[in-house]
Amino acid sequence: MADSIAEHIADTIEAIARAARDADRDPADVKLIAVAKTHGPEAVEAALAAGQRRFGENRVQEAAGKYPQFRAAHPDLELHLIGPLQTNKVRQAIGLFDVIQTVDRPKLAEMLAAEMAAVGRRPRCLIQINTGEEPQKAGIAPAEADGFIADCRDRLGLPVTGLMCIPPADEPPAPHFALLREIARRNNLAELSMGMSADFPIAVALGATAVRVGTAIFGHRPPAATA
Ligand SMILES: *Cc1c(COP(=O)(O)O)cnc(C)c1O
């Protein structure tokens, strides 16, 4: 398993580099976030051994059980929360994660600001945009993005560095990536977290600075646990 994870990481990095060069971008400007959700610590360990340092997790509880053991040996490990954050987990999330990619509603933004002040730790924040305006999906509607970003930055003082999106599963992703890029551009935000196993080369072509890749590195997840 460790060998295949190392191989999949190398292949993914190469595919990112190819997509970047094709778009006249520097491959170093695109970071790979390995999404290890549902996979055990041995999968993370194999990825670490292969040199991977950025990881993404969907659930606070799962991350809490999986990463602390690796922090001491790998101080450069960077952990990203890419799943929905409940307000009762905000304090724990601030302690665990280096980046919170799913700031998606005013109440959460308020809690993050208050708890960051209390805890004294300030993980970078990305605003999740619901580019497809899907009712069941988290994220700020595109039309409300500018106002929400300004509120997070100016009133609440959150360290907002970029945007993330998860395009609708049944649509071509390119228009969603382009929309995210445009919202980031006009708000002067540098980080774009977009692209997953099925579409990360397209995301890189459209300006992604971070891609979130799970299946292509760690293999398939049990169907019940994919969310
Ligand atoms: C699971 C997940 C990913 C990784 O998806 P794959 O298709 O397995 O690469 C990326 N982003 C988010 C938000 C996820 O929940």
Side-chain angles (χ1 to χ4, degrees):
M1 184 198 74
D3 285 353
S4 71
I5 288 175
E7 209 170 288
H8 293 158
I9 288 172
D11 290 347
T12 305
I13 289 171
E14 180 46 38
I16 291 169
R18 208 177 314 125
R21 285 191 300 266
D22 286 350
D24 287 322
R25 299 186 58 203
D26 183 346
D29 292 340
V30 189
K31 312 297 186 206
L32 171 61
I33 299 170
V35 178
K37 64 185 182 198
T38 78
H39 298 282
E42 63 290 345
V44 173
E45 194 163 24
L48 284 165
Q52 177 65 27
R53 289 296 180 271
R54 287 184 185 78
F55 294 88
E57 289 286 342
N58 268 42
R59 293 170 193 273
V60 175
Q61 223 51 53
E62 187 177 337
K66 219 152 61 173
Y67 290 88
Q69 56 178 323
F70 298 122
R71 286 274 192 194
H74 304 283
D76 54 344
L77 192 158
E78 192 177 278
L79 191 55
H80 295 242
L81 179 64
I82 61 169
L85 178 54
Q86 291 159 3
T87 44
N88 64 356
K89 299 262 171 63
V90 164
R91 181 168 290 213
Q92 194 183 7
I94 288 172
L96 264 175
F97 291 94
D98 303 294
V99 184
I100 294 175
Q101 296 208 0
T102 49
V103 181
D104 63 356
R105 57 197 193 280
K107 170 85 182 145
L108 175 61
E110 303 261 357
M111 286 281 295
L112 281 165
E115 291 291 338
M116 281 186 197
V119 173
R121 193 169 187 273
R122 291 170 58 77
R124 299 204 309 278
C125 292
L126 306 192
I127 309 294
Q128 182 174 356
I129 307 291
N130 187 358
T131 58
E133 304 188 55
E134 297 172 279
Q136 83 288 4
K137 196 168 274 178
I140 298 290
E144 284 154 27
D146 296 357
F148 184 70
I149 292 164
D151 195 49
C152 287
R153 282 202 291 211
D154 305 338
R155 186 174 64 87
L156 297 173
L158 286 178
V160 177
T161 56
L163 306 178
M164 82 86 94
C165 75
I166 310 169
D170 55 354
E171 287 180 29
H176 298 276
F177 296 152
L179 174 59
L180 198 71
R181 178 178 61 181
E182 170 53 23
I183 297 170
R185 188 201 57 75
R186 68 179 184 237
N187 285 284
N188 216 1
L189 291 169
E191 284 192 85
L192 281 175
S193 171
M194 56 191 199
M196 318 197 326
S197 291
D199 56 18
F200 69 84
I202 302 169
V204 171
L206 289 165
T209 62
V211 296
R212 311 177 306 265
V213 179
T215 310
I217 292 174
F218 298 108
H220 286 285
R221 296 177 289 271
T226 48

